[in-house]
Amino acid sequence: DAGITQSPRHKVTETGTPVTLRCHQTENHRYMYWYRQDPGHGLRLIHYSYGVKDTDKGEVSDGYSVSRSKTEDFLLTLESATSSQTSVYFCATSSGSEDTQYFGPGTRLTVL
Amino acid sequence: AQKITQTQPGMFVQEKEAVTLDCTYDTSDPSYGLFWYKQPSSGEMIFLIYQGSYDQQNATEGRYSLNFQKARKSANLVISASQLGDSAMYFCAMREGNTGGFKTIFGAGTRLFVKA
């Protein structure tokens, strides 16, 4: 395992409020990723990072922003949460761009 | 265009029998990697097996093997001697090489039920 933790593990919030999810890894992996999982869609990439302060958009990035100020932490922010962002969010890391991604335990977010 | 297709939403298998979970993919990139992940009811994503596009032999990891048919663009997961603990959701994924960078695309998944 890559020693990946996510916080919080569960969160309920209201529409329009800001939300930040945290991913923390202890393996010194260079690459980090945020995915969302919805029924019938598998996992879809939101944003990814290829180094400190280096990030880029994934397939479903609208409404999300990320930051990576340290190798071990990758933050996902919903500036103004909407009900369509109710989902399970997974963080993943990999040591190299072509290496296997290992996943955190996930965060279940409900936006009312 | 959908790049990873898992056509079996759900499957049943008898305990101790083998089962094949289907996965087809679409890419024009000659360099790519194929992955299978398991997601039990507890929710975590567990890496099972990896196959590189240039690998000559099918990947194996314990009871898991990947039946890689490059010309047909299929990467089926074979689980031998199924166990009750194999009941889970299984995802096929692909990472394209040169053109896709390191973005990994996932299929919609197959839910496997192992019967006692």
Side-chain angles (χ1 to χ4, degrees):
Chain A
D1 289 350
I4 307 166
T5 57
Q6 294 183 229
S7 59
R9 293 292 314 279
H10 302 272
K11 186 170 182 65
V12 179
T13 191
E14 293 187 349
T15 299
T17 60
V19 176
T20 295
L21 307 182
R22 179 180 183 240
C23 177
H24 179 78
Q25 55 120 344
T26 59
E27 295 297 313
N28 201 35
H29 284 178
R30 178 179 174 186
Y31 299 88
M32 299 185 76
Y33 314 81
W34 276 109
Y35 291 89
R36 62 177 288 173
Q37 183 179 27
D38 304 290
H41 288 279
L43 277 78
R44 293 180 291 174
L45 183 65
I46 305 171
H47 281 280
Y48 60 95
S49 170
Y50 46 97
V52 173
K53 299 191 189 313
D54 292 324
T55 66
D56 205 347
K57 296 178 180 180
E59 179 187 2
V60 289
S61 60
D62 288 349
Y64 302 95
S65 62
V66 291
S67 66
R68 191 165 178 206
S69 59
K70 300 185 290 185
T71 298
E72 56 266 35
D73 290 328
F74 192 32
L75 303 181
L76 176 71
T77 297
L78 291 67
E79 299 291 347
S80 178
T82 67
S83 58
S84 64
Q85 293 176 313
T86 292
S87 187
V88 178
Y89 291 85
F90 284 96
C91 173
T93 74
S94 66
S95 56
S97 63
E98 297 185 359
D99 294 321
T100 298
Q101 294 181 22
Y102 294 93
F103 286 80
T107 293
R108 183 173 295 277
L109 176 67
T110 302
V111 183
L112 302 175
Chain B
Q2 191 168 3
K3 294 195 172 185
I4 293 283
T5 303
Q6 295 181 253
T7 57
Q8 307 151 314
M11 285 197 67
F12 287 87
V13 64
Q14 194 67 39
E15 190 179 12
K16 300 181 184 177
E17 292 185 351
V19 63
T20 298
L21 306 184
D22 294 342
C23 173
T24 59
Y25 59 92
D26 182 29
T27 182
S28 57
D29 196 327
S31 175
Y32 53 91
L34 297 158
F35 304 81
W36 278 92
Y37 288 87
K38 172 184 178 181
Q39 186 177 42
S41 58
S42 52
E44 70 267 33
M45 292 287 289
I46 302 167
F47 165 71
L48 294 178
I49 197 166
Y50 166 80
Q51 178 88 39
S53 59
Y54 295 116
D55 293 343
Q56 295 296 314
Q57 293 189 323
N58 288 343
T60 60
E61 289 286 348
R63 294 186 299 110
Y64 304 108
S65 61
L66 199 153
N67 184 1
F68 181 44
Q69 298 189 40
K70 195 169 184 177
R72 298 178 63 179
K73 295 188 176 179
S74 73
N76 298 339
L77 177 70
V78 180
I79 305 174
S80 63
S82 297
Q83 302 172 355
L84 295 178
D86 294 334
S87 293
M89 195 76 168
Y90 290 82
F91 292 97
C92 179
M94 176 179 68
R95 171 196 43 76
E96 292 177 305
N98 297 330
T99 58
F102 39 86
K103 300 176 186 179
T104 300
I105 303 164
F106 287 78
T110 294
R111 186 168 296 280
L112 177 66
F113 300 92
V114 180
K115 300 182 291 184

